[in-house]
């Protein structure tokens, strides 16, 4: 689907889901999302060349704390995508714009709150992670600067959610390329070129988020049709806000638990010493690369499932689930194979510290396997977000997290860091399987209630 929607009612009503349609959304967003782990790869490489294990470990903890905060607000992107996709399927252009403005206002308010509360949030994060004094100093420098970008970062969630909801994959790619490209270039220039180190990495992120938000606002708002502009009373209607907050609450809980699981992994890794923590930080970038490959397919599922729901057309829903699952597992298998073959070279690019390279190589197969164990989880997330089955998604995440905690308790004492990575892979598998088991009943309920199958 192109970045520009030609007709006023294009997208409304029954439609056919094809491999081409799935990939038209998934490929641009996969390319766009791949620039995000490139930031992590770049930042890790910069920190790895500062000649200090504290720099690499401090950056890892700072990134985890910040991701825990902003990632908890990923519901802004997800809920916007699902609701806009459903409005798109109904041909309700007025509601599309209303959803966008509601999400943008909420995003800016939440981002401002994060910035104002940042001293308390940083103290809490350092208390939970319990790093050494040298690592804590690096984390504080990184976090204090990067948190200034919170309002812009959350606004970009709403912007991306809107364009994804309309299936505008190329626009999504453009926005991600602007944000992440500027981030990468300035992080290198400021961090290494000017010798600002960790502070330069953080300022590069701030600049990328800010310029990306301004570009996104210009692109999205300039395409709005004034004939469908919603009144302020429509945007802030109580029933609409109540429904949005209910959806956001469930997705926020799910996202918070997900990122909390990664934070627990980092905390346990930290207790094993700076060397293991640094090695896991390098390997988590491999997991993120796999995740962003799969996220492109999840975005295709979100848009196509949401559109099918809006159009009240079950054949499109069934086909969207089938094709996105096929491509998700296919890409997952290819990604795992590539990292098993070339993973050692990737590790070598990320750090010049020989001890970290050696330690990371021990656990490389576990990191590579996440692309397969996570394939169904990512795809099912997309299905549930597009269908706005938020309460079921929340409940299945809580069930998977319980299984993850049991796996940690069983395997970490037995196998150390190998057990930690095993538990992560099981957590990913639990998520996908638990969600997939709920699909048949929820689908039957949805389409029998609307009377069209």
């Amino acid at each position: 689907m192109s970045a520009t929607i030609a007709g006023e009612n294009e997208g409304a009503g029954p439609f056919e889901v094809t491999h081409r349609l799935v990939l038209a959304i998934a490929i641009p967003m996969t390319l766009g999302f791949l620039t995000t782990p490139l930031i992590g790869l770049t930042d890790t490489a910069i920190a790895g060349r500062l000649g200090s294990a504290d720099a690499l470990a401090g950056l890892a903890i700072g990134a985890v704390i910040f991701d825990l905060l902003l990632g908890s607000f990923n519901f802004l992107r997800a809920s916007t995508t699902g609701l806009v996709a459903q409005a798109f399927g109904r041909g309700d252009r007025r509601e599309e714009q209303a959803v966008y403005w509601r999400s943008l206002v909420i995003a800016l308010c939440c981002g401002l709150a994060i910035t104002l509360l940042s001293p308390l949030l940083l103290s809490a994060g350092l208390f939970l992670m319990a790093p050494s004094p040298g690592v804590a100093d690096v984390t504080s420098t990184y976090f204090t600067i990067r948190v200034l970008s919170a309002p812009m970062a959350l606004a970009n969630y709403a912007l991306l959610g809107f364009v994804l909801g309309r299936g505008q994959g190329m626009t999504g790619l453009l926005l991600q390329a602007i944000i992440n490209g500027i981030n990468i270039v300035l992080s290198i220039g400021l961090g290494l070129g000017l010798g600002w180190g960790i502070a330069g990495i953080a300022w590069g992120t701030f600049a990328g988020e800010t310029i990306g938000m301004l570009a996104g606002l210009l692109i999205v708002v300039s395409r709005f049709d004034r004939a469908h502009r919603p009144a302020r009373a429509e945007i802030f209607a109580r029933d609409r806000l109540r429904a949005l907050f209910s959806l956001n609450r469930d997705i926020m809980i799910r996202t918070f638990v997900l990122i909390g699981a990664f934070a627990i992994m980092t905390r346990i890794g930290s207790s094993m010493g700076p060397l293991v923590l640094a090695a896991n930080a390098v390997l988590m970038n491999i997991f993120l690369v796999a995740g962003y490959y799969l996220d492109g397919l999840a975005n295709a599922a979100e848009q196509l499932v949401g559109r099918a729901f809006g159009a009240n057309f079950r054949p499109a829903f069934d086909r969207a689930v089938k094709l996105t699952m096929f491509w998700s597992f296919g890409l997952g298998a290819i990604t795992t194979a590539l990292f098993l073959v070339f993973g050692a070279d990737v590790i070598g690019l990320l750090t010049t510290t020989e001890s970290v390279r050696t330690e990371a190589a021990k656990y490389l197969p576990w990191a590579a396997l996440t692309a397969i164990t996570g394939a169904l989880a990512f795809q099912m997330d997309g299905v549930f977000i597009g269908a706005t089955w938020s309460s079921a998604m929340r409940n299945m995440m809580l069930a998977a997290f319980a299984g993850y905690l049991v796996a940690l308790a069983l395997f970490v004492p037995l196998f150390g860091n190998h057990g930690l990575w095993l538990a992560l892979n099981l957590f990913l598998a639990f998520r996908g399987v638990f969600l997939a088991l709920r699909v048949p009943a929820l689908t039957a309920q949805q389409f029998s209630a609307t009377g069209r199958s």
Side-chain angles (χ1 to χ4, degrees):
M1 187 174 294
S2 65
T4 303
I5 301 299
E8 177 181 311
N9 294 316
E10 185 177 344
F15 65 102
E16 182 182 1
V17 178
T18 63
H19 288 283
R20 181 178 180 180
L21 183 57
V22 169
L23 296 179
I25 300 171
I27 290 176
M29 290 318 305
T30 295
L31 294 175
F33 286 139
L34 277 174
T35 64
T36 298
L38 284 177
I39 294 175
L41 294 172
T42 302
D43 292 352
T44 301
I46 294 172
R49 282 162 172 74
L50 296 179
S52 169
D54 284 352
L56 192 56
L59 176 65
I61 291 179
V64 166
I65 295 173
F66 201 82
D67 288 345
L68 181 61
L69 288 173
L70 285 196
S72 299
F73 290 89
N74 190 50
F75 62 81
L76 293 167
R77 204 280 306 159
S79 64
T80 304
T81 298
L83 293 173
V84 168
Q86 292 185 12
F88 182 70
R90 294 192 304 271
D92 189 348
R93 304 295 173 247
R94 197 178 191 90
E95 179 60 14
E96 286 180 27
Q97 292 190 34
V99 170
Y100 167 77
W101 290 116
R102 288 184 204 117
S103 297
L104 184 63
V105 170
I106 293 172
L108 291 173
C109 290
C110 290
L112 182 60
I114 289 175
T115 301
L116 293 175
L117 294 172
S118 60
L120 294 175
L121 296 171
L122 175 59
S123 297
L126 292 176
F127 175 78
L128 291 173
M129 294 297 178
S132 65
V135 173
D137 288 342
V138 174
T139 298
S140 298
T141 298
Y142 175 80
F143 182 89
T144 302
I145 298 171
R146 186 178 172 185
V147 78
L148 298 175
S149 69
M152 289 72 79
L154 295 188
N156 286 325
Y157 284 2
L159 285 161
L160 184 60
F162 178 81
V163 299
L164 289 180
R166 302 202 78 216
Q168 298 172 338
M170 292 305 296
T171 301
L173 171 59
L174 175 61
L175 294 178
Q176 291 297 105
I178 291 173
I179 295 168
N180 299 332
I182 291 173
N183 189 336
I184 291 170
V185 170
L186 289 184
S187 291
I188 295 173
L190 298 177
L192 291 179
L194 296 183
W196 291 10
I198 296 297
I201 294 173
W203 281 118
T205 302
F206 173 86
E209 295 287 4
T210 301
I211 296 172
M213 181 195 72
L214 295 176
L217 286 171
L218 178 63
I219 292 171
V220 169
V221 175
S222 66
R223 294 176 178 176
F224 281 163
D225 188 339
R226 294 185 178 183
H228 300 115
R229 178 183 297 171
R232 184 178 302 176
E234 293 178 83
I235 296 173
F236 298 107
R238 287 188 178 182
D239 59 330
R240 298 287 187 174
L241 286 173
R242 190 179 300 113
L244 179 59
F245 278 116
S246 177
L247 177 61
N248 284 340
R249 178 201 63 215
D250 292 335
I251 299 177
M252 180 179 67
I253 293 171
R254 166 259 180 198
T255 304
F256 188 82
V257 172
L258 176 61
I259 298 178
F262 297 140
I264 289 173
M265 181 176 181
T266 301
R267 179 65 180 86
I268 294 175
S270 177
S271 70
M272 297 178 185
L275 184 60
V276 170
L277 178 61
N280 284 351
V282 171
L283 292 174
M284 282 302 291
N285 285 289
I286 290 179
F287 165 70
L288 290 175
V289 168
Y292 285 112
Y293 265 111
L294 299 175
D295 235 356
L297 270 301
N299 289 148
E302 291 173 21
Q303 202 278 334
L304 295 172
V305 166
R307 182 179 170 188
F309 267 43
N312 189 23
F313 190 55
R314 180 164 182 175
F317 169 85
D318 291 338
R319 184 74 169 164
V321 172
K322 179 180 179 180
L323 293 190
T324 54
M325 184 181 296
F326 168 82
W327 283 105
S328 188
F329 274 109
L331 279 178
I334 292 171
T335 303
T336 293
L338 288 174
F339 278 123
L340 287 175
V341 174
F342 300 108
D345 296 325
V346 173
I347 293 171
L349 291 173
L350 292 177
T351 178
T352 58
T353 306
E354 190 60 37
S355 59
V356 175
R357 289 181 175 181
T358 302
E359 190 71 12
K362 296 178 183 177
Y363 312 108
L364 174 61
W366 291 113
L369 187 61
T370 58
I372 293 178
T373 57
L376 185 61
F378 278 89
Q379 187 257 348
M380 280 289 119
D381 274 351
V383 171
F384 276 64
I385 288 170
T388 60
W389 290 332
S390 59
S391 61
M393 184 168 63
R394 174 201 65 204
N395 293 341
M396 295 304 98
M397 173 60 78
L398 291 172
F401 184 70
Y404 174 59
L405 294 179
V406 172
L408 288 172
L410 289 175
F411 299 122
V412 172
L414 291 175
F415 307 116
N417 201 42
H418 285 287
L420 186 59
W421 279 96
L422 171 59
L424 176 64
N425 276 277
L426 288 174
F427 174 57
L428 295 172
F430 289 155
R431 285 176 54 212
V433 172
F434 291 170
L435 288 170
L437 291 175
R438 296 284 288 124
V439 169
L442 291 170
T443 304
Q445 180 181 355
Q446 168 68 27
F447 288 100
S448 63
T450 55
R452 185 170 187 172
S453 60

